[in-house]
Amino acid sequence: KIIVILVLTWFLWCRDREFGVKLGIVYFVGGMFNQIIKGIFTVSRPWVLEPRLIPETIIMDRAIGWSFTSAHTAAATALYGSLSLATKRVSLKLVCYLLILLTAISRLYLLVHTPQDVAGSLLIGVLLLALVWFYAAHEEFQRRFKIALMIGFGILLLTLGGIAIYRTVEGVNPAFLEGAFAALGAAIGYGIGWYLMAGRPYQEREHWYWQILKMVVGLSISFVLNAGIPALFGSHPLAILIGYALFTVWAVAGYPILIMWVKQRRIKGVA
């Protein structure tokens, strides 16, 4: 999660906004798919399905959510898969593929997932990467793609929201509820941020010291938004949803708009 946030915000704020937007789509849509599948199939962890498998106690205590599919594998596929498509260097591509593979293998080695869990996440990740990075790259398809993406985004939000509410009423698996409402809030915030930034010119590149300052200030406020609401109101699903929604709105639109406003004020002050 921390690595994804660092990479995502770096590209959105400092490096290549278009890449950051695509990475965010793959990551957050994949996260919604992952939680929807977990909420529908409610597959137990491997050591519950097969008692002879006994992982470390600390692992059992932390991996208390449902098993199918693997959230870690999905996140790694979204992040490193996107990075592999953004570089032309074969060596970097191989490193990205290796990191995806190692993440998947680690989930099996730690006995927190089955091969089916990992394979499902890899399949979803690859399909999303293909959709966003290849289909959307063709200019003649971009308008249709955006419309289809918005419709699909809405359907996923409604589906995940319905499942999360149903499971909340059912009162089972707090770990799933936390993940589901986090994914729901992040996706809602990302969609709002994407809409607010549509058509706005944003210059990512700056002198290195401004880039460092942008990251330090932006991440500090991001942490407050993401963790502050749950810290104040506890681990209630609504607090988690709001915290993640505020974070993604800030990352995608709020902070870039603030940076553009500061630049304009600085230019007027010099003039």
Side-chain angles (χ1 to χ4, degrees), residues 161-179:
I163 292 172
I165 292 172
Y166 173 77
R167 294 300 180 191
T168 302
V169 174
E170 194 179 43
V172 297
N173 205 325
F176 165 74
L177 296 180
E178 181 178 344

Side-chain angles (χ1 to χ4, degrees), residues 229-237 239-240:
I229 300 296
L232 288 173
F233 299 100
S235 57
H236 189 278
I240 294 172

Side-chain angles (χ1 to χ4, degrees), residues 23-51:
L23 169 60
I25 292 172
V26 175
Y27 180 73
F28 292 119
V29 171
M32 284 195 290
F33 265 117
N34 183 70
Q35 294 301 322
I36 287 171
I37 293 172
K38 283 180 180 290
I40 291 174
F41 292 98
T42 64
V43 177
S44 298
R45 292 288 175 175
W47 62 82
V48 179
L49 298 173
E50 175 50 70

Side-chain angles (χ1 to χ4, degrees), residues 193-251:
W194 189 22
Y195 174 79
L196 291 175
M197 278 298 290
R200 293 178 182 266
Y202 178 75
Q203 178 60 46
E204 304 94 335
R205 305 302 176 93
E206 297 275 5
H207 293 295
W208 65 269
Y209 46 85
W210 283 116
Q211 300 287 50
I212 294 175
L213 181 62
K214 281 197 295 186
M215 289 297 293
V216 171
V217 173
L219 288 172
S220 298
I221 298 175
S222 297
F223 175 78
V224 173
L225 292 174
N226 183 222
I229 300 296
L232 288 173
F233 299 100
S235 57
H236 189 278
L238 187 59
I240 294 172
L241 185 149
I242 293 173
Y244 275 86
L246 288 175
F247 160 69
T248 47
V249 169
W250 167 255

